[in-house]
């Protein structure tokens, strides 16, 4: 895992890069790269490290958000209230952990989400996919860019994750880490996103 200094340096190193991609703001239009914004991202990252001390914690849950347990048919399942209740949520203030991590924070930004995903990769955790890998969940064809779930899938593929039968088939597919441990940076994550975030390449992330 990163130390706090390594994390802060890695985050500051991509400030201009994220700004060029239009990714430098929080969901409520604050500066994600302010000292406070980077601290939130670090606290989320560190919460994953703390969660791994719990022997019952087995992985992370990614997917599209759903406000209802009966989502639109074209989207399929996702991270709905039932998933959050059963597997618990985590954020920058979490002190008690459930069996898996679902990110839920009022201070969300792409930087925070990327920090959370990188923490799972650094900790060599499994990622459970709550949503099917359909185009509607992965890629916004009107804006020619990834949805958050697609960005997460691109990161996992970039860093060598592979699919295997799931411990929780009711949740969907599961991706497992490569044998060789990695400590990828935000810059390497964004490079992977750039590679797959095209009309030509994003279909490589789609699945059954």
């Amino acid at each position: 895992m990163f130390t706090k200094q390594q994390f802060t340096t890695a985050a500051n190193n991509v400030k201009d890069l994220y700004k060029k991609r239009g990714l430098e703001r929080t969901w409520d239009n604050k500066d994600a790269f302010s000292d406070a914004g980077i601290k939130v991202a670090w606290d989320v990252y560190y919460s994953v490290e703390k969660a791994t001390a719990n022997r019952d914690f087995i992985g992370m849950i990614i997917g599209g958000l759903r406000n209802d347990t009966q989502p639109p048919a074209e989207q399929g399942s996702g991270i709905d209230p039932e998933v959050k209740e059963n597997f618990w949520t985590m954020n920058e203030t979490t002190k008690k952990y459930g069996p898996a991590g679902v990110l839920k924070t009022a201070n969300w930004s792409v930087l925070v989400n990327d920090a959370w995903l990188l923490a799972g990769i650094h900790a060599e955790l499994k990622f459970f996919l709550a949503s099917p890998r359909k185009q509607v969940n992965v890629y916004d064809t009107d804006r020619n860019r990834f949805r958050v779930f697609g960005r997460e899938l691109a990161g996992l593929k970039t860093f060598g994750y592979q699919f295997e039968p799931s411990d929780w088939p009711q949740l969907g597919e599961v991706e497992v880490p490569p044998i060789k441990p990695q400590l990828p940076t935000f810059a390497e994550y964004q490079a992977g996103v750039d590679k797959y975030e095209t009309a030509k390449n994003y279909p490589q992330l789609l699945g059954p």
Side-chain angles (χ1 to χ4, degrees):
M1 302 292 288
F2 279 161
T3 64
K4 187 174 183 178
Q5 182 58 55
Q6 288 174 320
F7 179 93
T8 302
T9 298
N12 280 314
N13 283 345
V14 293
K15 181 176 181 177
D16 291 341
L17 177 62
Y18 277 43
K19 186 174 183 178
K20 288 179 181 178
R21 303 294 190 276
L23 306 173
E24 80 281 12
R25 311 300 292 181
T26 66
W27 72 273
D28 55 351
N29 203 34
K30 297 176 182 176
D31 181 5
F33 287 87
S34 66
D35 290 345
I38 290 177
K39 182 180 185 304
V40 170
W42 161 254
D43 288 342
V44 165
Y45 177 93
Y46 188 53
S47 74
V48 175
E49 182 176 359
K50 289 187 290 185
T52 61
N54 177 359
R55 290 183 300 175
D56 296 327
F57 186 84
I58 66 168
M60 319 278 270
I61 298 176
I62 61 174
L65 296 179
R66 305 286 186 265
N67 294 324
D68 198 305
T69 54
Q70 298 296 324
E74 67 273 15
Q75 292 179 321
S77 59
I79 298 175
D80 58 29
E82 185 175 352
V83 169
K84 293 176 182 177
E85 180 179 356
N86 289 337
F87 296 99
W88 297 22
T89 59
M90 61 192 309
N91 57 35
E92 63 275 19
T93 64
T94 303
K95 292 182 173 62
K96 188 176 181 180
Y97 300 93
V102 180
L103 179 62
K104 181 183 179 182
T105 173
N107 297 300
W108 189 92
S109 67
V110 171
L111 177 67
V112 167
N113 204 87
D114 289 356
W116 179 79
L117 191 94
L118 285 176
I121 293 171
H122 291 178
E124 301 178 63
L125 295 173
K126 294 180 179 180
F127 284 81
F128 296 87
L129 278 56
S131 297
R133 290 181 287 138
K134 296 180 177 181
Q135 176 264 308
V136 68
N137 293 327
V138 172
Y139 195 79
D140 185 338
T141 54
D142 292 332
R143 301 171 66 192
N144 293 318
R145 66 187 303 172
F146 278 135
R147 302 187 187 280
V148 174
F149 182 44
R151 185 179 180 88
E152 293 166 338
L153 292 173
L156 295 178
K157 186 172 181 66
T158 296
F159 301 122
Y161 270 67
Q162 301 287 330
F163 288 97
E164 72 168 23
S166 177
D167 297 334
W168 292 325
Q170 70 274 23
L171 246 187
E173 298 175 288
V174 62
E175 291 198 66
V176 299
I179 295 174
K180 185 178 180 180
Q182 302 181 78
L183 281 179
T185 64
F186 292 103
E188 291 169 324
Y189 186 175
Q190 184 59 48
V193 170
D194 289 343
K195 174 182 177 179
Y196 291 106
E197 197 175 32
T198 67
K200 177 182 178 181
N201 288 338
Y202 87 81
Q204 296 178 47
L205 303 177
L206 303 183

